[in-house]
Amino acid sequence: MAQIRIARRVLTECIAAMAFPILLLSILVAPVSAPVVAETDRSRARWCGVETMPLKPSDHSWAQWVAPRLRSRSMWRTDLPVFVTAVLLSALSLLVAFFGFIGAAALVFSPVFWLFGIAAQVGPFTPESIGETLLAMPAGIVLGAVTTTVLTGTSFLRDLLLRAFSRSRDPDLLVKLEELRTSRASLTAAFEFERQRIERDLHDGAQQELVAVVMRLGMLEATATAAAADQERIVRLARQAQAHAERALERLRDTVRNIHPRELSDLGLIAAVRELAARSPLRVELTSTGDDTQLSSPTATAVYFTVSEALTNISKHAGVGSARIDLRCATTDVHVRVHDDGVGGARIYAGSGLAGLRERMRSVGGNLEILSPPGGGTLVVASAPSQPPW
């Protein structure tokens, strides 16, 4: 294991040496390139066995992360010093790797060069006989070992400076803590909104139907007692009571389905979305690919309700009768796109159903985005890892 880590350190230093021209050019756009280089250095450190915390969320693109990062004070305290360190140490690695490994190769293969009439000169040393070239071979091996040791030490120096500069990362941690507090508050508000919705659905739907059933049964009892011969009225009241009971049962099923659909637990996400599309009043074109057996229950539930809310919003506000769903499941993540050609103009605002869904997606390590220019339709895009990060 130790040999593998040393090999990784030498390899990363060689890559840094080759990337030095790019790093040199990136100085011209240092404020933008500094976060990218610093995050890359953190990834390098983790690959070499050093515990570092990535600052870029896995569901964010570089552009989405760098833009707000430039407004953070910790970018100047952490990323910029790491960027300067990366440029300087990459220059050192370039010099050491170039002269060290090339010199070592020239010494080791000097007998071969001598056979072709070439005296391989390394620094002040120039072989003048085949015997000197043979003596140069061990020196080349030693030079290669020294070069490897210096590159390994340079890698450790990178780690030391990275940890030193990362100690000033407290503002980042405070920002992350504030984001967690905001997210928790949003989730609490979203859950409270959901509880109120369930209470409202039960009160205005199933409860009202059951009250009507009770009233019809009372009228049926009174009619049967007062006029046993009025069979027609008794039958009509019985049928009305049955119809109300059936509607109450259907509304209860809808309410339970909105809490957690049985299809999702029994058949999986793709089948549940297909059943959701079939029940929708819209004409839904569904495209599904991949295998949803690797999806965790929280992830599948978050994606399902995202699709459900998107279809509900289309039927209520888009002014169109059709929608398209593209669902892609993989072993590592899941992506869904819900698109319509309606009036557009949708947005996520505090307290809305979409805001709650976005926080729900974030709670499983995912994200929810909406592209809805006025008059240009609405595109809801959601993605999440198969297994939540927690």
Side-chain angles (χ1 to χ4, degrees):
M1 183 63 67
Q3 291 82 355
I4 294 177
R5 290 184 177 179
I6 291 176
R8 287 183 175 182
R9 290 186 178 279
V10 174
L11 177 60
T12 54
E13 288 305 316
C14 291
I15 295 174
M18 292 185 289
F20 174 70
I22 299 176
L23 291 175
L24 202 59
L25 291 175
S26 65
I27 295 178
L28 300 175
V29 287
V32 176
S33 59
V36 177
V37 173
E39 188 68 10
T40 303
D41 196 48
R42 283 185 278 269
S43 299
R44 174 208 60 81
R46 287 194 300 276
W47 194 61
C48 292
V50 179
E51 293 185 3
T52 57
M53 184 181 71
L55 299 183
K56 186 182 82 68
S58 58
D59 59 322
H60 282 48
S61 65
W62 285 105
Q64 290 175 322
W65 178 68
V66 169
R69 182 71 178 167
L70 293 176
R71 298 189 293 269
S72 173
R73 290 180 300 171
S74 59
M75 194 280 291
W76 303 98
R77 297 179 180 180
T78 304
D79 293 348
L80 195 59
V82 173
F83 171 71
V84 174
T85 299
V87 174
L88 296 178
L89 292 182
S90 295
L92 176 61
S93 296
L94 177 61
L95 294 175
V96 172
F98 182 80
F99 291 105
F101 285 137
I102 289 181
L107 291 174
V108 170
F109 293 101
S110 58
V112 179
F113 295 144
W114 183 267
L115 293 178
F116 287 94
I118 301 174
Q121 181 180 0
V122 178
F125 172 74
T126 303
E128 296 181 355
S129 65
I130 186 64
E132 291 184 358
T133 60
L134 294 174
L135 293 175
M137 294 179 65
I141 295 174
V142 172
L143 180 57
V146 171
T147 302
T148 300
T149 302
V150 173
L151 291 178
T152 304
T154 304
S155 179
F156 279 111
L157 181 59
R158 284 181 189 270
D159 296 340
L160 179 64
L161 294 175
L162 178 63
R163 286 194 294 265
F165 293 134
S166 297
R167 290 172 184 169
S168 61
R169 199 175 51 196
D170 291 345
D172 284 324
L173 298 179
L174 293 176
V175 169
K176 284 183 174 289
L177 180 60
E178 185 61 29
E179 290 178 354
L180 288 175
R181 288 174 177 170
T182 303
S183 178
R184 185 175 64 180
S186 300
L187 282 175
T188 302
F191 290 153
E192 181 63 27
F193 175 81
E194 188 66 13
R195 283 193 293 267
Q196 293 176 0
R197 184 193 65 80
I198 294 173
E199 180 185 6
R200 184 173 60 253
D201 289 346
L202 291 175
H203 181 273
D204 298 339
Q207 181 175 322
Q208 296 297 327
E209 297 292 347
L210 290 174
V211 169
V213 170
V214 172
M215 293 177 61
R216 290 292 187 276
L217 291 175
M219 295 171 62
L220 179 62
E221 180 184 9
T223 301
T225 302
D230 194 356
Q231 298 294 327
E232 181 178 353
R233 177 174 172 79
I234 294 175
V235 171
R236 185 174 67 254
L237 290 174
R239 289 176 178 174
Q240 290 176 350
Q242 182 182 9
H244 281 292
E246 290 175 351
R247 283 197 295 270
L249 181 60
E250 183 62 27
R251 292 196 177 188
L252 279 175
R253 287 173 177 170
D254 290 339
T255 300
V256 171
R257 184 182 291 113
N258 288 332
I259 297 174
H260 194 280
R262 177 171 292 276
E263 297 86 1
L264 188 60
S265 302
D266 296 344
L267 303 177
L269 177 62
I270 294 178
V273 171
R274 186 178 293 114
E275 195 274 340
L276 180 66
R279 288 191 292 105
S280 174
L282 302 169
R283 297 187 308 275
V284 180
E285 177 185 346
L286 173 61
T287 302
S288 60
T289 58
D291 182 11
D292 59 4
T293 58
Q294 301 297 322
L295 297 180
S296 66
S297 177
T299 298
T301 302
V303 174
Y304 174 87
F305 282 109
T306 296
V307 176
S308 176
E309 182 72 15
L311 292 179
T312 300
N313 289 341
I314 292 173
S315 62
K316 287 183 177 179
H317 309 298
V320 294
S322 62
R324 295 187 298 276
I325 302 175
D326 179 19
L327 177 62
R328 294 186 291 111
C329 300
T331 57
T332 57
D333 54 16
V334 57
H335 296 265
V336 64
R337 298 161 61 93
V338 183
H339 184 257
D340 69 78
D341 298 321
V343 297
R347 61 187 181 90
I348 300 177
Y349 57 90
S352 66
L354 287 175
L357 289 175
R358 182 174 61 182
E359 294 304 325
R360 191 169 196 169
M361 292 299 300
R362 288 178 176 177
S363 70
V364 296
N367 193 32
L368 176 70
E369 295 181 355
I370 291 184
L371 302 176
S372 184
T378 299
L379 174 62
V380 178
V381 181
S383 61
S386 299
Q387 300 295 326
W390 36 266

